[in-house]
Amino acid sequence: MTGSSPNILILGIGNLLWADEGFGVRCVELLNERYRFPDSVRLMDGGTQGIYLVQHVQQADCLIVFDAVDYGLAPGTLKLVRDDEVPRFMGAKRMSLHQTGFQDVLALAAFTGAYPRELLLIGVQPEELEDFGGSLREPVRAQLEPALQVALAFLAERGVFAAPRDGDAEQLAPAQLALGRYEAERPAEDVAYRHGDIRFIAQPGREED
């Protein structure tokens, strides 16, 4: 840690294209839209980058992660996990490639000795993942605001405060993926296949090339 201010990384991980998988990225997106943070705080859309996030984790004294996690609870349940328990939940009941990758990120950071002193996982139990091009289901969407408040309170306990943003924020991801535009422009379920890329999915009666 340099000086008196810890380096804090607020990271959202997940895949926006698979319904509730986008929860973590949406949380960081909203924080970025609404608030300005001290220079010691960095907000990052980690998407599905997996192992490529190692260098960013290594630089953090404090790491806050938003994600959709299969806790085996009721859909929309918000659950907080701290410090040494975080890797176990990031790898439990593998739901997607990015989760296994992030468990590896933490392991590699620990191996190099550059590991955050504090970790907080703010996870929500997803309702739906198998909806390509879909958005957050209501039980998960309802936890966006509570999740943000958890993060802000966690920061405030450490003397780090966010200020309301009074101007446009620099975008963390392409504009087409912003929540409002993503939902407004996506095709309806009856005109778009919603279970993956149809080019690579075997279908009854279709001969393979």
Side-chain angles (χ1 to χ4, degrees):
M1 177 168 60
T2 58
S4 58
S5 299
N7 292 317
I8 299 173
L9 176 61
I10 304 178
L11 182 65
I13 56 178
N15 192 331
L16 293 178
L17 299 180
W18 288 101
D20 291 334
E21 261 279 301
F23 174 79
V25 175
R26 294 304 182 198
C27 286
V28 171
E29 176 186 313
L30 289 175
L31 281 177
N32 185 60
E33 287 179 357
R34 297 180 184 179
Y35 301 102
R36 291 183 292 104
F37 292 87
D39 292 340
S40 59
V41 179
R42 181 183 181 192
L43 275 63
M44 185 175 180
D45 172 356
T48 57
Q49 297 181 52
I51 204 70
Y52 297 105
L53 296 172
V54 169
Q55 61 179 322
H56 305 291
V57 170
Q58 289 172 323
Q59 296 167 4
D61 300 304
C62 178
L63 174 62
I64 300 173
V65 180
F66 293 101
D67 194 13
V69 178
D70 187 358
Y71 295 114
L73 302 173
T77 301
L78 198 67
K79 180 178 175 65
L80 312 181
V81 180
R82 292 287 307 274
D83 301 323
D84 293 342
E85 289 296 300
V86 171
R88 179 166 69 90
F89 282 93
M90 298 308 294
K93 297 183 180 178
R94 176 179 170 183
M95 292 161 44
S96 62
L97 292 176
H98 85 268
Q99 282 198 333
T100 299
F102 197 73
Q103 188 182 48
D104 293 340
V105 167
L106 296 177
L108 184 55
F111 179 76
T112 63
Y115 195 78
R117 292 186 296 104
E118 289 189 286
L119 277 76
L120 172 63
L121 168 61
I122 304 174
V124 69
Q125 175 72 39
E127 176 179 298
E128 178 61 64
L129 299 176
E130 301 300 323
D131 182 13
F132 185 70
S135 194
L136 303 181
R137 298 308 195 254
E138 285 308 316
V140 172
R141 182 189 295 269
Q143 293 297 344
L144 289 173
E145 192 63 39
L148 301 193
Q149 295 307 313
V150 167
L152 293 173
F154 181 83
L155 293 173
E157 290 173 358
R158 287 146 185 81
V160 178
F161 299 94
R165 189 178 289 281
D166 53 10
D168 292 338
E170 181 178 348
Q171 293 179 330
L172 300 178
Q176 297 92 330
L177 294 178
L179 181 59
R181 183 170 174 182
Y182 175 76
E183 292 189 334
E185 296 181 359
R186 67 192 176 111
E189 294 185 34
D190 60 348
V191 296
Y193 190 71
R194 300 294 281 276
H195 302 282
D197 190 327
I198 198 168
R199 296 172 299 172
F200 306 109
I201 297 176
Q203 299 176 58
R206 176 184 175 187
E207 293 184 3
E208 297 298 324
D209 297 332

